[in-house]
Amino acid sequence: MTISIGNLPLKDIKADVFLHPVRVDDSITYEPMAEEAVIALIAKHFTYDNVPGKVKEYFDDMDEGYLFGESNFDEFDLEKLEKGKIVIGKDVLLHPKVENIKKFLCLLRDFGGFEIEGIDLPVFFEPSDPVLAEIVEVEKEYEIELDEIDELDAFDGSVVYYCSDRFVVKEDEVLASQQFVIANKIKSLSVEIDGEIKKLNKLKELKGTFGIILKDTDDYPFKRVKIRSL
């Protein structure tokens, strides 16, 4: 199974399952900024029986109920996933906790049997005696320190996703679902989003309350905006 995490499901990426806050058809969703929590939950699910003791202790102390509730990602979503390949998208790369996310991905790679694409990951297997290791093969220890998972910010109000792919969205439009139209009380064919005029392009396969516009960004791509009907 190929699992995409942090790639907009409308992009031309070959995957069996998409995990992303923007729902397209039957993709699996979670709250914006929840990538750290979601990947931690996936890591525990697939690696718990195989990880070193200190990692197992970390997982034992992890408040799964809170993470499931806040991320809006649940046990039923986990059960849909199978071991295989994980393709990481730009949302993860731009996440403020990307370094901690990398550690959970390393656990999936090293103890879960997953292939990880789209992100450079460190190596945590270190020789117990580095000097001796230059001469003979020695036992290796797994040196990893997992940080505490941050609480999630609430993305209330009007929110859009900044997409840089011109094959997905045009510069003069906002891709929207019917829920987005209702939530933002849109009653026209064009809207003003943070001062920019956009034509409303409703997609049947798009679900949820996030719009999509063409814009580059160097930080996490979900943005609170002001929307006004014209």
Side-chain angles (χ1 to χ4, degrees):
M1 171 178 279
T2 299
I3 303 166
S4 168
I5 305 178
N7 290 295
L8 183 67
L10 289 170
K11 291 177 68 68
D12 185 18
I13 295 173
K14 295 187 183 302
D16 299 298
V17 180
F18 280 90
L19 277 68
H20 195 271
V22 174
R23 182 186 294 278
V24 177
D25 291 329
D26 58 352
S27 63
I28 296 174
T29 59
Y30 52 81
E31 293 298 315
M33 288 288 284
E35 286 84 1
E36 182 186 26
V38 168
I39 293 173
L41 290 164
I42 294 172
K44 179 176 181 178
H45 180 75
F46 283 101
T47 72
Y48 182 82
D49 292 334
N50 302 323
V51 293
K54 65 178 181 180
V55 177
K56 191 168 290 188
E57 290 175 6
Y58 177 95
F59 282 147
D60 287 339
D61 292 337
M62 198 169 78
D63 190 343
E64 284 186 77
Y66 172 80
L67 295 179
F68 278 127
E70 290 297 298
S71 67
N72 205 22
F73 174 82
D74 60 32
E75 296 95 331
F76 297 105
D77 295 324
L78 269 179
E79 294 301 324
K80 297 176 184 177
L81 307 181
E82 299 173 6
K83 186 185 299 184
K85 180 192 298 183
I86 295 176
V87 180
I88 295 298
K90 77 165 188 176
D91 296 11
V92 175
L93 302 179
L94 295 175
H95 195 285
K97 293 291 294 294
V98 64
E99 293 305 318
N100 202 43
I101 293 173
K102 286 181 180 181
K103 296 173 186 177
F104 292 117
L105 291 170
C106 284
L107 295 177
L108 285 163
R109 176 195 65 191
D110 299 334
F111 299 101
F114 280 84
E115 179 184 352
I116 311 295
E117 288 187 358
I119 189 170
D120 292 328
L121 297 178
V123 175
F124 289 104
F125 276 114
E126 299 294 344
S128 55
D129 187 332
V131 176
L132 188 60
E134 296 180 3
I135 306 171
V136 296
E137 184 174 345
V138 298
E139 181 180 349
K140 292 186 176 181
E141 299 174 354
Y142 201 76
E143 298 294 337
I144 190 170
E145 294 293 336
L146 294 163
D147 299 328
E148 186 175 347
I149 298 170
D150 283 356
E151 294 185 8
L152 296 181
D153 291 334
F155 276 76
D156 299 325
S158 300
V159 177
V160 299
Y161 178 78
Y162 283 9
C163 175
S164 60
D165 191 339
R166 294 177 180 273
F167 291 102
V168 172
V169 57
K170 298 176 183 177
E171 189 171 4
D172 64 346
E173 68 179 359
V174 53
L175 303 184
S177 65
Q178 182 62 26
Q179 293 98 316
F180 178 84
V181 172
I182 294 171
N184 291 283
K185 301 177 181 178
I186 297 171
K187 299 178 180 179
S188 57
L189 297 178
S190 296
V191 294
E192 184 181 291
I193 300 178
D194 280 354
E196 296 184 3
I197 307 301
K198 303 287 185 183
K199 297 176 185 176
L200 192 66
N201 184 1
K202 289 199 292 184
L203 301 183
K204 186 169 62 174
E205 65 270 28
L206 197 60
K207 313 295 181 183
T209 58
F210 304 126
I212 302 169
I213 64 173
L214 183 69
K215 193 174 284 288
D216 291 322
T217 181
D218 293 327
D219 54 10
Y220 195 72
F222 282 89
K223 306 291 183 182
R224 297 179 183 88
V225 295
K226 292 183 178 180
I227 297 178
R228 184 174 67 89
S229 291
L230 298 177

